[in-house]
Amino acid sequence: DPKKIVFAGVGKTDEEITLGLEKGILLFNVESEEELANIDRIAGKLGKKAPVALRVNPDVDPQTHTYISTGKKETKFGVDLIRAKRIVQSAMSLRNTHLKAIHVHIGSQITKVEPYVETMQRIAAFLPELEKIGAKIEMLDIGGGFGIWYKDKLAKPAKEIAASILPALQRMNVRILLEPGRFVVGNAGILVTRVLYVKESGDKKFVICDAGMNDLIRPTLYSAYHRIWPVKTDPGVSGEAPDEEAWSGAAAVTDIVGPICESGDFFAKERKMPPLKRGDLVAVFSAGAYGYAMASNYNSHPRPCEVMVAGKKAEVVTARETMDDLLRNEKIVTF
């Protein structure tokens, strides 16, 4: 339903904005004065009134990886609160734009409630300033970024996050929107890879798999931890597998790596693992978010299929790519 769509991003193209207006989406999250003017221009050409939210940057440290911190003033996202007030005031005079909301999103994989509390307190103090200049803010998009369990059980449950920010939200009298992407799908997905080779070099032991950084780039990009375990730890035995700390059987300190020609192509380094051999299947957990969406064809590797599993039922929902898929849009020049 287009009326449930909020279009975010710092670099929306004219074609994307036009499509959003034509389909009647709920909101455009506006990141700058120039983008606001551009949306107003396009809406005018189409004879429409664009519903927008202004993304503000509260300058709050989300205490997460620097690459996924978006609420600090040095990032490219949103505008500072002083500038935001000026933009809201100028937006009120635009003929083809209706500023209906404020948007704030401070980062991703946030495992503490304090950054959310600080953010909501700042927004609760900011909205009355907008009321004084005549702005009628109907909605507040509080973003997302709620962390999940990758290793240690540090992430907070939804009830604890909600309880911490409700006092500030209840003072605002606005409709609340939120974007809990990773929180919903992160731990709903795993990447299954097959062992191609086991090798030793110097003091190191490597397990080389057929999946790599092209399939799941988080360990390479963010130094992220993903739990990894054999699909079957003993012949004929499967089910809930222990992690490496709880494993009491034979084990070896191992680097789990992929086939890509980069030293950064790894899923884990110096991880205590049960014995693995060629042909074994290995599960990389918590791969439901920032997995397939960030996958690539680097080194001419086709992307894997995606399989939806429900109980004992399984169905392919994204077909496995082939080499023909990789070559389909290429042509040999004739000059």
Side-chain angles (χ1 to χ4, degrees):
D1 181 0
K3 284 297 181 186
K4 295 181 179 179
I5 293 175
V6 175
F7 186 6
V10 297
K12 306 176 191 69
T13 67
D14 290 5
E15 291 77 15
E16 291 167 340
I17 293 167
T18 298
L19 181 63
L21 288 167
E22 290 175 342
K23 296 297 183 182
I25 66 171
L26 177 65
L27 286 173
F28 293 88
N29 282 344
V30 173
E31 299 266 0
S32 66
E33 296 162 271
E34 193 165 359
E35 182 190 343
L36 179 63
N38 191 42
I39 291 176
D40 187 74
R41 176 186 65 83
I42 295 171
K45 287 175 61 177
L46 296 174
K48 295 181 179 293
K49 195 137 182 138
V52 301
L54 178 64
R55 180 169 181 174
V56 299
N57 189 320
D59 194 24
V60 170
D61 184 358
Q63 302 176 46
T64 187
H65 192 285
T66 183
Y67 288 0
I68 49 178
S69 298
T70 59
K72 293 284 287 177
K73 63 184 178 181
E74 60 265 25
T75 71
K76 67 180 180 180
F77 300 97
V79 293
D80 63 86
L81 295 177
I82 295 174
R83 188 182 302 271
K85 188 175 179 179
R86 296 201 304 266
I87 295 173
V88 169
Q89 195 155 21
S90 64
M92 292 164 59
S93 64
L94 295 175
R95 297 178 58 186
N96 310 303
T97 301
H98 183 190
L99 195 147
K100 304 173 72 172
I102 294 296
H103 173 227
V104 60
H105 176 78
I106 58 172
S108 189
Q109 187 51 21
I110 301 169
T111 57
K112 299 179 179 179
V113 297
E114 289 80 7
Y116 289 114
V117 173
E118 184 179 355
T119 297
M120 293 307 118
Q121 288 173 343
R122 293 190 183 191
I123 299 301
F126 179 63
L127 291 186
E129 295 183 32
L130 301 185
E131 289 180 15
K132 290 178 184 177
I133 61 175
K136 296 180 180 179
I137 303 301
E138 303 171 18
M139 294 174 276
L140 172 63
D141 184 343
I142 66 172
F146 317 119
I148 64 170
W149 294 351
Y150 285 100
K151 182 183 180 184
D152 299 319
K153 297 183 178 181
L154 299 175
K156 306 301 180 186
K159 285 185 178 181
E160 188 171 336
I161 300 169
S164 69
I165 62 176
L166 270 173
L169 292 177
Q170 289 170 335
R171 289 159 44 198
M172 300 189 215
N173 193 31
V174 290
R175 177 185 172 192
I176 303 300
L177 311 178
L178 63 159
E179 307 162 14
R182 185 201 311 257
F183 198 77
V184 174
V185 301
N187 277 324
I190 63 172
L191 170 64
V192 179
T193 181
R194 191 179 298 277
V195 175
L196 294 175
Y197 305 102
V198 178
K199 66 175 282 186
E200 294 185 12
S201 180
D203 295 329
K204 298 283 290 185
K205 182 173 184 177
F206 299 91
V207 170
I208 302 167
C209 300
D210 64 354
M213 60 182 280
N214 60 301
D215 301 299
L216 181 65
I217 201 172
R218 294 190 72 256
T220 300
L221 187 61
Y222 305 127
S223 299
Y225 178 98
H226 282 263
R227 179 176 168 233
I228 301 172
W229 205 252
V231 170
K232 292 186 178 182
T233 50
D234 293 301
V237 178
S238 62
E240 181 63 25
D243 57 27
E244 60 269 24
E245 285 83 6
W247 177 248
S248 59
V253 176
T254 306
D255 284 12
I256 310 294
V257 302
I260 305 301
C261 59
E262 299 271 358
S263 294
D265 177 31
F266 62 88
F267 293 131
K269 290 191 172 183
E270 299 186 349
R271 189 77 63 86
K272 181 183 174 185
M273 297 292 295
L276 291 167
K277 64 183 184 302
R278 176 174 168 81
D280 283 351
L281 293 175
V282 177
V284 183
F285 290 82
S286 307
Y290 307 99
Y292 198 94
M294 296 178 77
S296 74
N297 297 124
Y298 186 40
N299 274 185
S300 296
H301 280 263
R303 280 173 284 202
C305 64
E306 289 187 294
V307 180
M308 181 72 73
V309 179
K312 294 184 177 181
K313 297 180 180 179
E315 185 173 339
V316 174
V317 292
T318 304
R320 186 183 304 279
E321 286 184 331
T322 66
M323 290 305 297
D324 286 342
D325 293 325
L326 270 59
L327 298 171
R328 180 170 292 116
N329 294 322
E330 298 184 13
K331 69 173 185 178
I332 299 174
V333 295
T334 56
F335 55 82

